[in-house]
Amino acid sequence: MNCLSHKLFSLLILTSFVVAQNDDIIELTKHIGFTLDAEENKYYEVFKEISNFESAQFFQIEKDIIESRISYLEFTRVKISRKRFDLQTFVDLQLRLNMMPPITDEIRESYRKNLTYLRTKDILNNIPVGQFVEVNHVNGKKIKGTLLNFSKDRLYIQTPVNVKLIKITSMERITFREKIIDRPELQKYIYFGSAFIGTLAMEVWNQQTNPIWGYRWHYRLIGAIFGLLAGAEVYDTSMILLSKKTKFGLSSEELEKLNR
């Protein structure tokens, strides 16, 4: 855009604002429209300083004053912030945005995957009950346990000691495994190893107690049986530990940490 066309465009926008009525909503640009959403804000970098940005609209409240009303999330709670622009600053913003290529669907999708704070409830609703989860609390503590339920914006987690109730407004990050892998080819090795360890444990018992010969084999058999029974639990636990962890940041600060 050359200098002359730049001036003409600025003059056209300034003239349109002069005749506009107070508190009229203003179109930011033709390709953005009247509402700047989270993906557009990230792409165009309009409000880089606003954490957990959701959307913004622009209103002419005086002849030469434009006010942006910014919606952002604070741990799922919607808050409103306001920022004022003088007319020339707002026109300069519009000129900058018009010179940039419009955001594409591919770019939107790539941003949307990382803006998890906008879909916190959907993420929590989709975690299977019985899943082992780890929650980073805003007070700095980590809570680990089995997810019992998610209801009324609260997580119920069974820890080894008791049931913890955690409000989603107190969560910074949640870690869980979306899919538990299954490696049936490893089962025989895990079962054999468990039976061997059970037999070995009972052999240590035999050495300490020195029973008669018949009881030695009796204890060895008991150890092998308990080892096989424990093998199923060992296999399940092994598959959980080998499964890939999924981490979701529930604030923009946590998202930045995860994306580093």
Side-chain angles (χ1 to χ4, degrees), residues 117-157:
Y117 64 84
L118 294 176
R119 48 192 179 92
T120 299
K121 290 184 180 180
D122 289 338
I123 291 169
L124 297 179
N125 272 319
N126 288 328
I127 300 177
V129 172
Q131 175 71 263
F132 184 83
V133 298
E134 178 181 313
V135 174
N136 289 41
H137 199 279
V138 292
N139 63 13
K141 292 183 179 179
K142 289 186 178 182
I143 300 167
K144 301 179 181 181
T146 302
L147 177 64
L148 299 178
N149 190 24
F150 172 58
S151 176
K152 297 180 180 179
D153 295 345
R154 292 171 172 82
L155 283 179
Y156 296 86
I157 297 177

Side-chain angles (χ1 to χ4, degrees), residues 6-7 13 25 36 41 60 62 67 76 81 102 119 129 140 148 153 156 171 208 211 219 221 229 238 246:
H6 184 287
K7 290 181 179 179
I13 293 177
I25 186 171
L36 177 74
N41 183 61
Q60 184 171 10
E62 296 178 19
E67 181 181 81
T76 72
S81 178
R119 48 192 179 92
V129 172
L148 299 178
D153 295 345
Y156 296 86
M171 297 168 53
Q208 292 177 345
Y219 291 140
L221 182 59
L229 293 174
S238 299
T246 299

Side-chain angles (χ1 to χ4, degrees), residues 97-108:
L97 298 180
N98 275 303
M99 293 175 68
M100 294 179 64
I103 186 171
T104 65
D105 291 339
E106 291 76 15
I107 294 174
R108 275 187 178 279

Side-chain angles (χ1 to χ4, degrees), residues 36-38 41-42 45-56 58 68-74 77-85 115 117-118 251-253 255-256:
L36 177 74
D37 62 33
N41 183 61
K42 188 172 180 64
E45 298 185 337
V46 179
F47 298 107
K48 293 189 292 184
E49 74 282 4
I50 302 294
S51 298
N52 296 356
F53 179 95
E54 183 183 43
S55 63
F58 300 83
S68 60
R69 297 169 190 175
I70 306 160
S71 170
Y72 66 97
L73 297 177
E74 189 175 89
R77 294 175 180 170
V78 178
K79 301 289 185 73
I80 302 295
S81 178
R82 298 170 188 266
K83 181 178 180 180
R84 291 191 173 189
F85 300 82
L115 296 174
Y117 64 84
L118 294 176
S251 69
S252 58
E253 292 82 3
L255 284 172
E256 289 176 5

Side-chain angles (χ1 to χ4, degrees), residues 93-245:
L93 172 62
Q94 288 184 308
L95 289 171
R96 179 176 73 81
L97 298 180
N98 275 303
M99 293 175 68
M100 294 179 64
I103 186 171
T104 65
D105 291 339
E106 291 76 15
I107 294 174
R108 275 187 178 279
E109 184 60 30
S110 67
Y111 287 159
R112 189 176 293 117
K113 290 178 181 178
N114 291 323
L115 296 174
T116 51
Y117 64 84
L118 294 176
R119 48 192 179 92
T120 299
K121 290 184 180 180
D122 289 338
I123 291 169
L124 297 179
N125 272 319
N126 288 328
I127 300 177
V129 172
Q131 175 71 263
F132 184 83
V133 298
E134 178 181 313
V135 174
N136 289 41
H137 199 279
V138 292
N139 63 13
K141 292 183 179 179
K142 289 186 178 182
I143 300 167
K144 301 179 181 181
T146 302
L147 177 64
L148 299 178
N149 190 24
F150 172 58
S151 176
K152 297 180 180 179
D153 295 345
R154 292 171 172 82
L155 283 179
Y156 296 86
I157 297 177
Q158 176 67 63
T159 69
V161 179
N162 54 18
V163 176
K164 296 283 187 181
L165 185 154
I166 308 172
K167 297 180 179 179
I168 60 175
T169 52
S170 301
M171 297 168 53
E172 287 189 333
R173 182 193 302 181
I174 184 166
T175 303
F176 64 99
R177 293 170 172 85
E178 288 186 273
K179 184 177 180 181
I180 306 301
I181 64 173
D182 187 20
R183 299 281 180 79
E185 69 276 9
L186 297 179
Q187 275 186 320
K188 59 183 178 181
Y189 299 107
I190 291 175
Y191 277 76
F192 176 80
S194 297
F196 177 76
I197 291 173
T199 304
L200 186 63
M202 296 313 296
E203 187 62 30
V204 172
W205 173 261
N206 285 336
Q207 294 296 325
Q208 292 177 345
T209 58
N210 195 27
I212 61 176
W213 182 86
Y215 281 106
R216 287 176 180 268
W217 280 103
H218 174 73
Y219 291 140
R220 289 167 185 160
L221 182 59
I222 290 177
I225 292 173
F226 276 106
L228 287 171
L229 293 174
E233 190 67 29
V234 173
Y235 175 77
D236 290 340
T237 302
S238 299
M239 294 303 99
I240 292 173
L241 294 176
L242 290 173
S243 298
K244 183 180 178 181
K245 288 183 178 180

